[in-house]
């Protein structure tokens, strides 16, 4: 895979390509595709991936299952506390490491430039791999360096770090030179924060991982990211289906709205294609030119997710676009002492409460 390069006028535009068809459906003539996208590094990233947030005891088996069934994109993070299980699942699957796109995320207490490579080494050790295909900065906010991932003062407020995400970004660029990381990117950044990276370093993120689903479509931001050559990976692609958003200390009232998979519009489209509503939601993301990383520890759901890469007609894509409610479910701004998503949609109703 090509090394991450500095920004030039010739940054590659994302190119959509298709691997050989995995399987075909006789029902309604639908074909399951295996879409991939070309990053600005020249590397390929699958459109359909596997998220590993939560459920640490199940990750080894489900990661192995997902890979054996055909998933080739595995997304994890240091703060999830599942990297060891993910690594075991990759080994257990028997799928060659070079055939798998593995991404992890640097957590906010390891953002000091002197800590970045050591933190990468920690992730590589637990994942039992010599490199990761993608390293992301999990959030733009920095926490006090040290072993405590959520360092708080006597009043319970998060203690900020002494360095900035710019310092972290430069250090991540240095780690690429070691071969331990093939590409770098960001997660949960605002447009202004990404612009700062571009203007002050000239290094274009390969990926921005962010919350995108039919309730939070962020159309203008997605368009801008594509223009910059930054590929979007959707986390929480099924919206508020995960109970975490209703249970966390900063849960917003909108997290209790009707689940997107229960919307009548989604049900009608699903019936038309002979698919589940969850499959239609994932297909919407892929048909929009993005990667999606649904999570599941249930065998049949993993199989169903694999069958979510199919073509949606323009009229159905237009119907889904109407569901945009600018509903952002992931917003720990007040807990993290940082106004996340400051220039983006869906920041109304932010609640103060502890994540952990």
């Amino acid at each position: 895979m090509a090394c991450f390069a500095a920004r030039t006028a010739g940054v590659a535009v994302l190119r959509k390509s298709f691997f050989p068809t995995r399987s075909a459906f006789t029902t309604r003539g639908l074909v399951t595709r295996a879409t991939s996208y070309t990053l600005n590094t020249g590397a390929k990233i699958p459109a359909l991936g596997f998220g590993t947030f939560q459920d640490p005891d199940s990750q080894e088996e489900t990661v192995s299952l997902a890979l054996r069934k055909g998933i080739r994109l595995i997304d994890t993070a240091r703060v999830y506390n599942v990297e060891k299980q993910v690594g075991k699942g990759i080994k257990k699957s028997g799928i060659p490491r070079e055939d798998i796109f593995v991404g992890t995320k640097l957590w906010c207490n390891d953002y000091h430039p002197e800590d970045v490579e050591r933190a990468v080494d920690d992730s590589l050790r637990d994942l039992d791999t010599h490199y990761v295909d993608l390293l992301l900065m999990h959030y733009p906010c920095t926490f006090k360096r040290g072993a405590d991932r959520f360092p708080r003062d006597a009043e319970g407020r998060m203690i900020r770090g002494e360095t900035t995400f710019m310092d972290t970004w430069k250090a991540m660029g240095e780690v690429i030179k070691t071969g331990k990381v093939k590409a770098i990117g960001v997660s949960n950044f605002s447009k202004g924060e990404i612009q700062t990276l571009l203007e002050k370093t000239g290094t274009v993120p390969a990926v921005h991982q962010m919350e995108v689903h039919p309730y939070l479509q962020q159309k203008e931001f997605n368009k801008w990211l594509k223009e910059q050559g930054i590929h979007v990976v959707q986390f929480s692609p099924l919206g508020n289906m995960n109970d975490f958003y209703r249970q966390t200390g900063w849960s917003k009232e909108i997290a209790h709205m009707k689940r997107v998979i229960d919307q009548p519009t989604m049900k009608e489209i699903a019936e038309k294609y002979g698919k589940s509503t969850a499959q239609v939601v994932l297909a919407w993301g892929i048909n929009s030119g993005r990667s999606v990383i649904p999570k599941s520890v249930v065998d049949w759901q993993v199989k169903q997710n694999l069958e979510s890469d199919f073509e949606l007609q323009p009229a159905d894509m237009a119907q889904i676009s109407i569901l945009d409610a600018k509903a952002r479910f992931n917003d720990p701004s007040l807990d993290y002492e940082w106004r996340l998503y400051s220039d983006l949609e869906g920041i109304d109703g932010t609640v103060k409460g502890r994540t952990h």
Side-chain angles (χ1 to χ4, degrees), residues 6 82 120 161 271 318 352:
V82 298
V120 170
E271 174 63 24
K352 185 173 180 58

Side-chain angles (χ1 to χ4, degrees), residues 51-59 80-82 242-245 247 295 297:
T52 60
F53 176 54
Q54 302 173 309
D55 306 305
D57 294 337
S58 302
Q59 291 303 334
Y80 296 168
N81 291 319
V82 298
N242 192 332
D243 284 340
F244 172 79
Y245 290 131
Q247 298 170 353
K295 66 172 291 288
V297 295

Side-chain angles (χ1 to χ4, degrees), residues 130-351:
H130 296 301
Y131 69 95
V132 289
D133 299 275
L134 179 65
L135 177 69
L136 301 176
M137 221 185 310
H138 209 137
Y139 283 94
C141 44
T142 66
F143 297 165
K144 178 184 176 182
R145 65 188 300 207
D148 191 350
R149 289 178 179 163
F150 295 88
R152 299 179 186 276
D153 63 19
E155 297 178 350
R157 297 182 62 176
M158 206 72 74
I159 305 173
R160 285 204 189 172
E162 297 177 352
T163 54
T164 70
F165 65 78
M166 284 293 301
D167 302 313
T168 311
W169 184 244
K170 292 173 183 177
M172 289 168 66
E174 290 299 310
V175 177
I176 285 183
K177 299 175 183 178
T178 69
K180 298 174 183 177
V181 172
K182 301 297 184 182
I184 57 176
V186 295
S187 179
N188 293 297
F189 271 50
S190 69
K191 181 180 178 181
E193 289 160 347
I194 294 177
Q195 284 177 315
T196 297
L197 295 181
L198 299 181
E199 293 168 3
K200 294 190 176 181
T201 71
T203 303
V204 185
V207 164
H208 183 210
Q209 187 176 126
M210 64 183 193
E211 182 182 353
V212 184
H213 42 74
Y215 280 161
L216 182 67
Q217 299 186 19
Q218 304 192 82
K219 297 170 186 175
E220 290 303 313
F221 189 35
N222 270 295
K223 179 182 177 183
W224 181 82
L225 288 165
K226 186 173 183 180
E227 290 170 350
Q228 307 308 310
I230 302 171
H231 182 58
V232 172
V233 175
Q234 298 181 198
F235 74 72
S236 296
L238 297 175
N240 59 338
M241 189 169 178
N242 192 332
D243 284 340
F244 172 79
Y245 290 131
R246 289 178 285 278
Q247 298 170 353
T248 185
W250 40 261
S251 175
K252 299 167 74 171
E253 185 177 348
I254 56 170
H256 298 271
M257 68 191 293
K258 183 195 294 276
R259 298 184 305 173
V260 68
I261 62 170
D262 295 327
Q263 280 287 345
T265 296
M266 301 306 301
K267 291 180 177 180
E268 291 173 10
I269 296 173
E271 174 63 24
K272 174 181 175 180
Y273 289 89
K275 292 285 190 176
S276 71
T277 50
Q279 286 175 315
V280 171
V281 175
L282 296 178
W284 169 81
I286 296 172
N287 278 260
S288 298
R290 300 183 287 267
S291 294
V292 296
I293 47 171
K295 66 172 291 288
S296 178
V297 295
V298 182
D299 290 9
W300 67 265
Q301 289 180 343
V302 172
K303 181 177 183 296
Q304 192 177 81
N305 289 346
L306 270 163
E307 297 169 355
S308 299
D309 185 1
F310 59 93
E311 183 179 2
L312 285 173
Q313 296 301 312
D316 298 311
M317 292 289 289
Q319 279 291 100
I320 295 173
S321 72
I322 299 172
L323 296 177
D324 189 9
K326 298 176 175 52
R328 184 180 297 277
F329 304 123
N330 186 77
D331 193 352
S333 295
L334 296 179
D335 187 29
Y336 291 1
E337 302 285 335
W338 188 279
R339 177 60 269 181
L340 299 165
Y341 324 117
S342 59
D343 53 14
L344 301 178
E345 299 172 333
I347 63 173
D348 296 336
T350 304
V351 174

